[in-house]
Amino acid sequence: MPAERPLRVADASVIVHPDAESASKDAADRIERIVADAVAARGKAVLGMATGATPEKVYGLLAARVAAGALSLRDATTYNLDEYYPIQPLDPLSYRSYMHRHLFGRVDLAANRAHILDGTVPEHAAAEHAAQFDRWIEADGGLDLQLLGIGRNGHIGFNEPSDLPVDEFAALPTRLVDLHPITVADAVREFGSPEAVIPRALTMGVRAILAARSIIMLATGAKKAPIVAQALKGPITAAVPASVLRTVADRVVWILDEPAAADLG
Ligand code: F6R
C-alpha cells in the first residue's frame, strides 16, 4: 500500500492518504493530540464537530479509543456545525440524533457540554439563538479544533456558495440559512426524496469556523475531487466557500484520500 504523501497546494497543507480508512485514522490521531494538548494547557478542549458521511469512521475510531481507555472526552466541550431547521432532536434525521448514534452515546463526554443548534426554536427567536451560540463559543475561549467536511458545492457547515465579497463572507455569523440545490440533492440520501428534505438549517458562521485554532478538512471519495481541486487551486471566493480556508492556511490541514485528491494534479 502506498504511504501517505504530504503536498503543498499553493499555501495549503494537504495530506493525501491511500484510502478513507487511513485518512480517518490520521484525523482521529490529530483530534486525540489536540484534546491532550488543550486539556494540558487550559484544562479543557473545545471541539467543533461535523456530521455527514465523511466523519463517521473518525467518530468510530474515537469511540473505540474511549471504550479501550486510551482516550477520554471528559474534559471536552463540543459545538456542532449545523442542524436542520425546523427539526425535533429525537427525529432520527436530526444532527443531534446523528451525533448521539456516532459519538455522544458512546463516549464519556458530559451531555451538558455537547452543544448543537436547536432546530426547535421559534423562527422569531432563531437569530438570537444563533447569536447566543457564537457567544457561547467565545465564552468558552474559542474552538481548539473545527472538524470540517466539504459539500460538492464547496460548502463548509451549511455556509453555502454566495456572491458576497470574501471579507463579508468570512465575517458571517451563525444564522438560519436556505440550503443550496446541490445540498438538497445530496440530502435525498437520508431523507428519501427531494420533497422530504428540510430545506433550511441553522449553521455555525464562517467567522467562528475561521477563528478555530486548528481546522481539519477531511474529504474522501471521487465525488469530492472536482470541488477539492477548485477550493485549493481556484480563486479564493465565496462562490467556493471552502476556498476561504486558504485565508487562514497556517491553521488548516486538508486530509484527503487518493480519490478525493485525483484532480489536484
Ligand atoms: C455537516 C456539514 C456539511 C458536510 C458536507 C459533507 O455537519 O456541515 O458541510 O460536512 O456536506 O458531507 P458528507 O460528509 O456527507 O459528504
Side-chain angles (χ1 to χ4, degrees):
M1 197 164 66
E4 68 185 55
R5 53 184 178 99
L7 276 184
R8 287 308 288 189
V9 183
D11 277 342
S13 144
V14 181
I15 299 176
V16 183
H17 287 265
D19 52 35
E21 280 66 32
S22 151
S24 303
K25 181 176 177 305
D26 187 358
D29 290 349
R30 286 168 192 265
I31 294 170
E32 191 174 329
R33 275 200 301 279
I34 287 167
V35 169
D37 290 350
V39 171
R42 43 184 202 121
K44 65 176 178 182
V46 184
L47 309 175
M49 311 309 263
T51 56
T54 313
E56 286 182 11
K57 290 190 177 71
V58 177
Y59 296 146
L61 289 166
L62 294 176
R65 291 177 194 183
V66 170
L71 167 70
S72 173
L73 295 180
R74 193 177 49 230
D75 298 316
T77 295
T78 61
Y79 290 90
N80 261 80
L81 279 171
D82 36 32
E83 179 60 285
Y84 289 106
Y85 184 86
I87 199 164
Q88 296 290 326
L90 287 178
D91 188 317
L93 293 167
S94 76
Y95 285 158
R96 168 67 72 182
S97 295
Y98 169 104
M99 289 306 296
H100 182 76
R101 279 195 303 276
H102 291 287
L103 191 70
F104 298 162
R106 307 169 64 191
V107 296
D108 57 349
L109 177 77
N112 59 357
R113 296 179 76 151
H115 303 86
I116 300 194
L117 287 154
D118 182 353
T120 72
V121 288
E123 193 157 346
H124 68 81
E128 178 48 28
H129 173 59
Q132 186 179 54
F133 190 82
D134 281 336
R135 287 197 297 270
W136 282 338
I137 294 174
E138 274 163 37
D140 247 328
L143 299 169
D144 291 300
L145 163 76
Q146 180 60 58
L147 177 63
L148 295 175
I150 187 170
R152 281 192 305 124
N153 59 7
H155 73 202
I156 49 176
F158 281 138
N159 294 285
E160 302 285 26
S162 148
D163 52 15
L164 286 175
V166 168
D167 55 340
E168 285 178 37
F169 185 69
L172 283 174
T174 297
R175 67 207 184 283
L176 186 58
V177 295
D178 292 323
L179 299 182
H180 185 272
I182 292 182
T183 305
V184 171
D186 283 349
V188 169
R189 190 183 59 208
E190 285 97 40
F191 286 85
S193 72
E195 303 70 46
V197 175
I198 297 174
R200 291 197 296 170
L202 289 157
T203 185
M204 188 190 291
V206 184
R207 186 178 61 206
I209 293 173
L210 295 182
R213 284 182 281 282
S214 175
I215 298 174
I216 296 175
M217 165 57 88
L218 180 63
T220 55
K223 279 195 299 214
K224 300 292 173 68
I227 195 66
V228 164
Q230 269 191 60
L232 283 169
K233 299 177 82 175
I236 296 179
T237 165
V240 181
S243 69
V244 173
L245 295 172
R246 283 157 52 205
T247 64
V248 293
D250 56 327
R251 286 185 271 120
V252 183
V253 61
W254 293 69
I255 302 180
L256 311 176
D257 66 357
E258 288 285 358
D263 292 355
L264 287 178

